[in-house]
mmCIF file of all heavy atoms in Angstrom:
data_model
loop_
_atom_site.group_PDB
_atom_site.id
_atom_site.type_symbol
_atom_site.label_atom_id
_atom_site.label_comp_id
_atom_site.label_asym_id
_atom_site.label_seq_id
_atom_site.Cartn_x
_atom_site.Cartn_y
_atom_site.Cartn_z
ATOM 1 N N GLU S 375 -15.831 33.530 -1.958
ATOM 2 C CA GLU S 375 -16.998 34.234 -2.494
ATOM 3 C C GLU S 375 -17.926 33.269 -3.214
ATOM 4 O O GLU S 375 -17.473 32.379 -3.950
ATOM 5 C CB GLU S 375 -16.560 35.335 -3.459
ATOM 6 C CG GLU S 375 -17.721 36.145 -4.017
ATOM 7 C CD GLU S 375 -17.293 37.200 -5.023
ATOM 8 O OE1 GLU S 375 -16.109 37.187 -5.437
ATOM 9 O OE2 GLU S 375 -18.145 38.029 -5.401
ATOM 10 N N VAL S 376 -19.223 33.439 -3.014
ATOM 11 C CA VAL S 376 -20.245 32.653 -3.705
ATOM 12 C C VAL S 376 -21.040 33.606 -4.594
ATOM 13 O O VAL S 376 -21.596 34.596 -4.105
ATOM 14 C CB VAL S 376 -21.189 31.941 -2.716
ATOM 15 C CG1 VAL S 376 -22.290 31.189 -3.473
ATOM 16 C CG2 VAL S 376 -20.399 30.980 -1.830
ATOM 17 N N VAL S 377 -21.089 33.324 -5.895
ATOM 18 C CA VAL S 377 -21.774 34.164 -6.865
ATOM 19 C C VAL S 377 -22.991 33.419 -7.409
ATOM 20 O O VAL S 377 -22.892 32.239 -7.770
ATOM 21 C CB VAL S 377 -20.837 34.552 -8.030
ATOM 22 C CG1 VAL S 377 -21.597 35.302 -9.113
ATOM 23 C CG2 VAL S 377 -19.665 35.385 -7.521
ATOM 24 N N LEU S 378 -24.127 34.088 -7.468
ATOM 25 C CA LEU S 378 -25.357 33.503 -7.973
ATOM 26 C C LEU S 378 -25.574 33.908 -9.428
ATOM 27 O O LEU S 378 -25.473 35.083 -9.776
ATOM 28 C CB LEU S 378 -26.553 33.959 -7.131
ATOM 29 C CG LEU S 378 -26.476 33.700 -5.626
ATOM 30 C CD1 LEU S 378 -27.739 34.212 -4.938
ATOM 31 C CD2 LEU S 378 -26.277 32.217 -5.339
ATOM 32 N N THR S 379 -25.890 32.911 -10.284
ATOM 33 C CA THR S 379 -26.048 33.189 -11.708
ATOM 34 C C THR S 379 -27.231 32.431 -12.299
ATOM 35 O O THR S 379 -27.686 31.423 -11.756
ATOM 36 C CB THR S 379 -24.798 32.786 -12.507
ATOM 37 O OG1 THR S 379 -24.658 31.354 -12.492
ATOM 38 C CG2 THR S 379 -23.539 33.426 -11.936
ATOM 39 N N SER S 380 -27.684 32.925 -13.434
ATOM 40 C CA SER S 380 -28.652 32.223 -14.270
ATOM 41 C C SER S 380 -28.373 32.602 -15.711
ATOM 42 O O SER S 380 -28.578 33.757 -16.103
ATOM 43 C CB SER S 380 -30.098 32.598 -13.910
ATOM 44 O OG SER S 380 -30.993 32.141 -14.911
ATOM 45 N N ALA S 381 -27.864 31.660 -16.488
ATOM 46 C CA ALA S 381 -27.576 31.936 -17.893
ATOM 47 C C ALA S 381 -28.858 32.252 -18.651
ATOM 48 O O ALA S 381 -28.881 33.108 -19.542
ATOM 49 C CB ALA S 381 -26.869 30.740 -18.522
ATOM 50 N N ARG S 382 -29.940 31.597 -18.287
ATOM 51 C CA ARG S 382 -31.214 31.799 -18.979
ATOM 52 C C ARG S 382 -31.774 33.189 -18.721
ATOM 53 O O ARG S 382 -32.293 33.836 -19.632
ATOM 54 C CB ARG S 382 -32.224 30.740 -18.538
ATOM 55 C CG ARG S 382 -33.592 30.877 -19.186
ATOM 56 C CD ARG S 382 -34.505 29.748 -18.770
ATOM 57 N NE ARG S 382 -34.020 28.464 -19.272
ATOM 58 C CZ ARG S 382 -34.624 27.299 -19.018
ATOM 59 N NH1 ARG S 382 -35.707 27.272 -18.254
ATOM 60 N NH2 ARG S 382 -34.134 26.185 -19.509
ATOM 61 N N LYS S 383 -31.702 33.653 -17.496
ATOM 62 C CA LYS S 383 -32.258 34.953 -17.135
ATOM 63 C C LYS S 383 -31.213 36.063 -17.108
ATOM 64 O O LYS S 383 -31.520 37.195 -16.716
ATOM 65 C CB LYS S 383 -32.929 34.860 -15.757
ATOM 66 C CG LYS S 383 -34.098 33.902 -15.704
ATOM 67 C CD LYS S 383 -35.237 34.358 -16.601
ATOM 68 C CE LYS S 383 -36.447 33.446 -16.455
ATOM 69 N NZ LYS S 383 -37.568 33.889 -17.317
ATOM 70 N N GLU S 384 -29.973 35.732 -17.516
ATOM 71 C CA GLU S 384 -28.880 36.705 -17.556
ATOM 72 C C GLU S 384 -28.519 37.236 -16.174
ATOM 73 O O GLU S 384 -27.964 38.332 -16.040
ATOM 74 C CB GLU S 384 -29.227 37.879 -18.486
ATOM 75 C CG GLU S 384 -29.512 37.484 -19.920
ATOM 76 C CD GLU S 384 -28.267 36.997 -20.657
ATOM 77 O OE1 GLU S 384 -27.178 37.525 -20.387
ATOM 78 O OE2 GLU S 384 -28.388 36.081 -21.487
ATOM 79 N N ARG S 385 -28.819 36.486 -15.133
ATOM 80 C CA ARG S 385 -28.473 36.924 -13.790
ATOM 81 C C ARG S 385 -27.002 36.650 -13.501
ATOM 82 O O ARG S 385 -26.521 35.532 -13.709
ATOM 83 C CB ARG S 385 -29.326 36.200 -12.754
ATOM 84 C CG ARG S 385 -29.000 36.603 -11.321
ATOM 85 C CD ARG S 385 -29.769 35.814 -10.286
ATOM 86 N NE ARG S 385 -29.535 36.327 -8.938
ATOM 87 C CZ ARG S 385 -30.009 35.764 -7.834
ATOM 88 N NH1 ARG S 385 -30.755 34.675 -7.900
ATOM 89 N NH2 ARG S 385 -29.734 36.291 -6.653
ATOM 90 N N GLY S 386 -26.301 37.640 -13.034
ATOM 91 C CA GLY S 386 -24.910 37.460 -12.651
ATOM 92 C C GLY S 386 -23.953 37.301 -13.812
ATOM 93 O O GLY S 386 -22.760 37.020 -13.600
ATOM 94 N N ILE S 387 -24.431 37.485 -15.036
ATOM 95 C CA ILE S 387 -23.541 37.358 -16.185
ATOM 96 C C ILE S 387 -22.509 38.491 -16.135
ATOM 97 O O ILE S 387 -22.855 39.660 -15.955
ATOM 98 C CB ILE S 387 -24.339 37.421 -17.508
ATOM 99 C CG1 ILE S 387 -25.363 36.290 -17.555
ATOM 100 C CG2 ILE S 387 -23.377 37.332 -18.703
ATOM 101 C CD1 ILE S 387 -24.780 34.908 -17.389
ATOM 102 N N GLY S 388 -21.266 38.158 -16.298
ATOM 103 C CA GLY S 388 -20.178 39.114 -16.218
ATOM 104 C C GLY S 388 -19.404 39.019 -14.922
ATOM 105 O O GLY S 388 -18.263 39.484 -14.846
#
Side-chain angles (χ1 to χ4, degrees):
E375 182 182 10
V376 177
V377 174
L378 305 180
T379 68
S380 167
R382 179 176 295 178
K383 297 296 184 180
E384 301 291 325
R385 179 184 186 185
I387 300 304

